[in-house]
Amino acid sequence: MRDILLLGGGKIGETICDLLKGTGDYRVTVADRSADALEWLPDHPRVEKRVLDATDPADLTAAMQGKFAVLSALPYHLTVGVAEAARATGTHYLDLTEDVASTRRVKDLAADAPCAFIPQCGLAPGFISIIANDVASRFEALDTVRMRVGALPKYPSNALNYNLTWSTEGVINEYLEPCEAIVEGRLINVPPLEEREEFSLDGVLYEAFNTSGGLGTLCETLAGRVRTLNYRSVRYPGHRDLMKALLHDLRLGSRRELLKDILEQSIPATLQDVVLIFVTVTGTKRGRLLQETYANKIYGREIDGKFYNGIQITTASGICAVVDLLATGKLPQRGFVKQEDVSYADFIANRFGRNYAPSENTPSSMNRAA
């Protein structure tokens, strides 16, 4: 049995805990600075609750002693401190961050480390890089890789056409930070909220625009091999323009805590969501220019008698699958591990990764060209 330290007792942390404890192969210590957050977690013989200040290096180091891995479901700005403590204790490290600067620091810490450092283990970044790399690997030469992901309400009912389905801090961060892309073969930064496009899937109209961090390290991996590579978040039409007004015209982008408070007090969360994953790769096979597309929608559902929304399922299943593959020796045991180092075949065959398997009962499922 593996001992896991899980930092963060919010909705995603709770889902990670539920998935891991349900296997019987993991003991999970859930740590959070809020005792009230921990009280919401159910009592279980394989779950320990611990009040912990993640900004205190001594607290972090003590909590990691003897643990197989630490899984961070904390806000992105706490990532580096957790990674530094993992390096000091030789504990395998996994996180869910979309923050590019934090991931660069994690990569530095992973150099010559005695343990594995695997950041960006959620949906985007995370699974989106695994599937994009898998599709791209079947081309002899690549031209274009386009990655689109949206965590959306099934029934939008406000002017933003949006509900809070995951970290508010994470949403704001990805709307404000520079976005990596490959344009005409060159790795560059492109501005967030720009290059808006529209597309339809299953008769529904969507918009997509640049956001930061979603493609993880894939720009680095495919540099020199692809002409165009980009990642954009999917929303319902009209959302982008209103967010630009809030962030730039009203200058709330420089007052992130105020904007977070406004959104959380005004925009309700929802369990009725849909996660949309859309990847298109164009390149050459046997001398022909061909396109292959992966499209999938994942909805909330019950797992072991408990209902989780789509973003809980996808985010928690991503990091649980990766730690499971690490525990079974299917991933490197030391150094920096990219999401695209994870085999799609291994991921989708995993007991947690199977939660990404397209269902014949959903309106859209995976479509892969022969």
Side-chain angles (χ1 to χ4, degrees), residues 12 95-97 118-130 311 314-320 322 339 347 356:
I12 300 298
D95 72 35
L96 298 169
T97 188
I118 317 178
Q120 306 179 319
C121 295
L123 166 63
F127 175 78
I128 190 66
S129 291
I130 297 172
I311 195 63
T314 51
T315 305
S317 296
I319 198 168
C320 288
V322 174
Q339 288 301 306
F347 182 95
Y356 273 91

Side-chain angles (χ1 to χ4, degrees), residues 57-320:
D59 269 7
L60 282 173
T61 300
M64 287 184 200
Q65 296 295 333
K67 298 296 191 290
F68 170 72
V70 55
L71 279 56
S72 177
L74 295 172
Y76 71 92
H77 56 82
L78 298 175
T79 295
V80 171
V82 177
E84 289 172 344
R87 171 68 194 241
T89 58
T91 306
H92 294 308
Y93 170 89
L94 298 87
D95 72 35
L96 298 169
T97 188
E98 80 293 334
D99 187 62
V100 175
S102 298
T103 300
R104 288 172 180 160
R105 176 57 181 154
V106 170
K107 185 177 181 181
D108 291 341
L109 290 168
D112 302 319
C115 49
F117 283 76
I118 317 178
Q120 306 179 319
C121 295
L123 166 63
F127 175 78
I128 190 66
S129 291
I130 297 172
I131 186 60
N133 189 61
D134 180 71
V135 176
S137 70
R138 292 191 293 279
F139 285 80
E140 297 159 6
L142 291 173
D143 180 74
T144 303
V145 178
R146 295 186 174 94
M147 304 151 66
R148 308 289 184 262
V149 173
L152 302 167
K154 288 172 65 177
Y155 310 110
S157 60
N158 55 59
L160 284 174
N161 284 323
Y162 192 68
N163 288 89
L164 298 174
T165 59
W166 66 291
S167 165
T168 310
E169 291 174 310
V171 170
I172 295 170
N173 190 58
E174 72 174 18
Y175 284 0
L176 288 171
E177 296 299 317
C179 315
E180 291 184 331
I182 294 177
V183 178
E184 296 299 331
R186 296 187 302 114
L187 176 58
I188 64 172
N189 283 334
V190 294
L193 300 179
E194 298 300 332
E195 300 185 280
R196 180 185 177 276
E197 64 191 24
E198 289 189 351
F199 69 95
S200 294
L201 183 65
D202 298 326
V204 179
L205 182 65
Y206 301 98
E207 67 178 16
F209 47 85
N210 296 337
T211 55
S212 179
L215 48 67
T217 55
L218 204 57
C219 272
E220 175 187 332
T221 298
L222 295 183
R225 296 171 51 198
V226 66
R227 182 179 63 87
T228 299
L229 168 64
N230 55 50
Y231 171 88
R232 291 170 188 163
S233 286
V234 178
R235 300 289 186 259
Y236 295 116
H239 176 86
R240 193 282 305 258
D241 289 346
L242 286 173
M243 288 307 304
K244 284 187 74 174
L246 290 171
L247 292 166
H248 301 307
D249 296 344
L250 299 182
R251 300 184 181 181
L252 290 176
S254 60
R255 305 173 71 184
R256 294 193 186 194
E257 285 301 316
L258 174 59
L259 178 57
K260 176 187 174 185
D261 184 62
I262 291 172
L263 292 175
E264 291 184 346
Q265 295 299 318
S266 307
I267 306 298
T270 183
L271 293 177
Q272 296 172 300
D273 68 340
V274 55
V275 171
L276 186 153
I277 307 169
F278 196 74
V279 175
T280 301
V281 179
T282 303
T284 304
K285 290 184 181 182
R286 299 179 182 177
R288 296 178 59 200
L289 184 64
L290 295 174
Q291 175 178 299
E292 183 172 343
T293 297
Y294 171 102
N296 195 6
K297 287 182 178 179
I298 299 172
Y299 296 84
R301 62 182 176 87
E302 283 193 3
I303 299 177
D304 295 330
K306 185 175 179 179
F307 186 87
Y308 304 93
N309 67 9
I311 195 63
Q312 285 177 284
I313 292 171
T314 51
T315 305
S317 296
I319 198 168
C320 288

Side-chain angles (χ1 to χ4, degrees), residues 24-38:
D25 296 328
Y26 296 96
R27 282 187 296 263
V28 184
T29 298
V30 185
D32 197 288
R33 69 179 181 179
S34 168
D36 291 339
L38 295 174

